Amino acid sequence: MIFPEFCLERWQSLRDWRARYNLSESGVEPLTYEELVELVGVPRGVVLGYGMTKGLPRLREELAVMHGVGPEEVLVTSGGAEANFVTTLALVGPGDRAVVVMPTYMQIPGILRGIGAVVDKTWIKYGEGLDEEELKRKVARGVKAVFVTNPNNPTGYVLSEGERKLLVDLAEDAGAYLVVDEVYRGLEHEGPETPTFAKHYDKAVVTGSLSKTYGLPGLRIGWVVGPEDVVNGAWAVKDYTTISPPILDQHLAVAVLEKRDYFINRSRTIVRRNFAIFGEYVKARPYVKWWNTKAAAFSHIYVGGDTLKLAEEIFEETGVLVNPGECFEMKGYLRVGLGWADENRLREALDLFFWALDKKRP
């Protein structure tokens, strides 16, 4: 297996540690360890061994209730990245055809290419939604799996009820697995939480983690939820990766999920405020096109031109780090993280960012 360079992760890892203002993050600002234990307490009597490799039974029970499934249909992983990795390897092999709904977090297309699968892409129409006609042409017999992120990264778009039904119907007709990365579920700015795809189709598989909506990427806890045979297949792959999730992190994760409403409300409060602030800057600049979606902790704007070069120049001049659209195969776009808890610092960063953008507008 030869994996292509992961543009987004490499872009960030070479710069985020020296950024003056890091607006490249896609989740809500993490809590400190002290803040977390003040909220949930310190687990006592935890033996720091491996623990059950499928995941702490109590944690799998919490996740099962959250998704309306049984504990045997849940695998706990070391973060959402591992959840995506082991799921993909469990379902797709060399020469298999997979459909990926774009744009997306580019881990999945990279893994698929790395294992020699045939990748067929279909795009969300910016400002509109799924390209239903293209989906109908591409999701057909012979497709092994359909991959989608909902709420979407990098646009924040949330699939409508009709779009969710369309994906399920097409996957079912094709006999394909429907794999949905739900890592931003719960980070809708208003209204009800996006329904999970779990149990809505007998070949639906969902992944998630504590990293984005919960503001806890340092707790390396993710999960796979799906049919028991798929979960066990992913578990078998996991035996070759991390073996077991971090045991202390799992005990903390149980306590977090028991107070899930608190963490979701915290995150929603932060991003609602920050989107309103960001909107002030965008409205003053007609040359910036903004699809003002209402989920996730980032915004995606169109400014045109070579945004890889533009993002690099802005970073070198101001120390403000954002993500270029080229890392999502969307030249001309920039993804701007809006998960910061400190409003004043966010305004400082946006002042610099838009000052530089105004100077360099195409």
Side-chain angles (χ1 to χ4, degrees), residues 264-313:
I264 287 177
N265 289 336
R266 170 188 179 262
S267 296
R268 285 187 170 196
T269 298
I270 290 171
V271 296
R272 275 199 302 264
R273 181 202 65 199
N274 291 353
F275 260 68
I277 292 170
F278 190 74
E280 297 170 7
Y281 289 85
V282 172
K283 289 173 184 175
R285 293 165 173 84
Y287 72 89
V288 175
K289 297 179 182 178
W290 183 31
W291 186 14
N292 185 11
T293 47
K294 298 296 185 180
F298 44 73
S299 187
H300 210 223
I301 58 175
Y302 181 77
V303 295
D306 182 342
T307 34
L308 186 63
K309 178 182 177 183
L310 176 63
E312 180 65 43
E313 290 176 347

Side-chain angles (χ1 to χ4, degrees), residues 196-212:
T196 178
F197 275 84
K199 278 299 187 187
H200 282 204
Y201 167 45
D202 62 5
K203 297 181 77 171
V205 185
V206 305
T207 62
S209 83
L210 294 182
S211 298
K212 309 302 182 183

Side-chain angles (χ1 to χ4, degrees), residues 34-336:
E34 290 78 12
E35 289 171 331
L36 179 60
V37 297
E38 185 177 344
L39 286 166
V40 303
V42 180
R44 301 293 180 184
V46 177
V47 177
L48 297 179
Y50 284 105
M52 185 177 180
T53 60
K54 193 175 185 181
L56 192 70
R58 182 72 186 88
L59 178 53
R60 287 194 290 117
E61 289 170 5
E62 284 287 338
L63 291 166
V65 170
M66 198 169 99
H67 292 88
V69 302
E72 70 280 359
E73 297 170 280
V74 178
L75 171 69
V76 181
T77 61
S78 297
E82 186 182 43
N84 290 334
F85 186 83
V86 298
T87 298
T88 305
L89 265 64
L91 294 179
V92 183
D96 287 340
R97 183 164 166 252
V99 174
V100 179
V101 178
M102 298 283 289
T104 190
Y105 181 57
M106 295 299 290
Q107 180 193 16
I108 294 294
I111 294 170
L112 291 170
R113 286 197 292 269
I115 63 176
V118 178
V119 182
D120 203 354
K121 298 172 184 174
T122 178
W123 287 79
I124 293 174
K125 293 181 178 179
Y126 211 80
E128 298 179 34
L130 290 181
D131 188 332
E132 296 188 7
E133 294 307 312
E134 186 177 54
L135 268 173
K136 291 174 182 176
R137 289 194 302 271
K138 293 189 173 183
V139 182
R141 283 285 168 184
V143 170
K144 191 69 177 292
V146 180
F147 293 86
V148 63
T149 303
N150 187 54
N152 183 259
N153 177 11
T155 67
Y157 181 71
V158 180
L159 296 173
S160 68
E161 182 179 353
E163 289 172 323
R164 294 194 299 270
K165 184 178 186 304
L166 175 68
L167 282 168
V168 169
D169 289 346
L170 291 175
E172 188 169 19
D173 288 346
Y177 288 98
L178 179 58
V179 185
V180 187
D181 182 339
E182 296 183 345
V183 72
Y184 295 102
R185 182 170 169 249
L187 201 45
E188 304 81 11
H189 304 172
E190 304 287 349
E193 186 173 348
T194 303
T196 178
F197 275 84
K199 278 299 187 187
H200 282 204
Y201 167 45
D202 62 5
K203 297 181 77 171
V205 185
V206 305
T207 62
S209 83
L210 294 182
S211 298
K212 309 302 182 183
T213 299
Y214 300 85
L216 294 168
L219 293 187
R220 300 307 299 148
I221 297 298
W223 51 82
V224 181
V225 177
E228 189 173 1
D229 63 326
V230 175
V231 165
N232 287 340
W235 185 14
V237 177
K238 190 176 182 300
D239 288 339
Y240 285 90
T241 55
T242 60
I243 302 176
S244 64
I247 191 67
L248 183 57
D249 293 25
Q250 290 186 81
H251 281 277
L252 286 166
V254 170
V256 167
L257 292 179
E258 287 174 344
K259 294 188 175 182
R260 185 169 183 267
D261 288 348
Y262 169 84
F263 290 91
I264 287 177
N265 289 336
R266 170 188 179 262
S267 296
R268 285 187 170 196
T269 298
I270 290 171
V271 296
R272 275 199 302 264
R273 181 202 65 199
N274 291 353
F275 260 68
I277 292 170
F278 190 74
E280 297 170 7
Y281 289 85
V282 172
K283 289 173 184 175
R285 293 165 173 84
Y287 72 89
V288 175
K289 297 179 182 178
W290 183 31
W291 186 14
N292 185 11
T293 47
K294 298 296 185 180
F298 44 73
S299 187
H300 210 223
I301 58 175
Y302 181 77
V303 295
D306 182 342
T307 34
L308 186 63
K309 178 182 177 183
L310 176 63
E312 180 65 43
E313 290 176 347
I314 290 174
F315 176 67
E316 293 300 331
E317 289 182 19
T318 67
V320 178
L321 181 63
V322 297
N323 293 309
E326 283 84 348
C327 287
F328 300 95
E329 297 184 9
M330 295 186 75
K331 183 178 180 179
Y333 290 85
L334 295 170
R335 193 188 75 179
V336 183

Side-chain angles (χ1 to χ4, degrees), residues 285 287-288 353-361:
R285 293 165 173 84
Y287 72 89
V288 175
F353 170 68
F354 280 103
W355 170 80
L357 196 60
D358 288 343
K359 286 202 313 174
K360 298 177 181 299
R361 57 178 295 186

Side-chain angles (χ1 to χ4, degrees), residues 24-30 184 187 211-213 215 297-298 337-340:
S24 71
E25 293 299 328
S26 59
V28 173
E29 184 169 331
Y184 295 102
L187 201 45
S211 298
K212 309 302 182 183
T213 299
F298 44 73
L338 297 173
W340 284 7

